[in-house]
Amino acid sequence: MGMTQDGFAAAGAVGKRALIHYEKAERSPDAAFLAAIAAAGADVLYILTGQRARMGALKATEPGAGYSFARTPRERALLDNYRASPDAGRRVIEGAATLAAQSATGKDKPLKKRGNQAT
């Protein structure tokens, strides 16, 4: 995430000393700390279990689907904008992402699609 201990502690609304206690397993963080660092982009599932969060694991109608697994502010903003867009806007975003990925990979043919979404 590119943060110092001071920055990470601030993101979790705790002091640096509390963060050090968490790192040394001398104390366990509370839910408020975990929620705060998740909002800052930390993968809390990985921190707690060693397993990575699965991207797109929840359907839009499932509880928790509003949670963003994006790790950077730019990724979260892109995902939030996508989710807030009507279907026509989502298709534009998907098309732009497909074109950008094709440009980055040097492939001329479209990437695989799942439903209306590029994969």
Side-chain angles (χ1 to χ4, degrees), residues 20-113:
I20 291 170
H21 286 299
Y22 301 156
E23 291 173 346
K24 292 181 175 181
E26 295 172 352
R27 294 186 193 156
S28 296
D30 63 12
F33 171 80
L34 296 172
I37 64 169
D43 184 346
V44 174
L45 180 64
Y46 181 75
I47 291 168
L48 295 175
T49 68
Q51 297 176 353
R52 296 280 179 202
R54 294 182 303 159
M55 296 295 290
L58 299 174
K59 294 180 182 174
T61 57
E62 291 179 38
Y67 178 78
S68 174
F69 291 103
R71 290 186 167 79
T72 68
R74 289 177 64 186
E75 289 174 339
R76 284 193 301 276
L78 179 62
L79 187 56
D80 289 344
N81 288 335
Y82 178 84
R83 288 179 174 161
S85 297
D87 285 339
R90 287 181 177 195
R91 285 191 295 274
V92 169
I93 293 168
E94 291 162 2
T98 299
L99 289 173
Q102 288 170 351
S103 174
T105 62
K107 296 180 180 178
D108 291 333
K109 61 183 180 178
L111 300 176
K112 294 179 184 177
K113 291 191 177 191

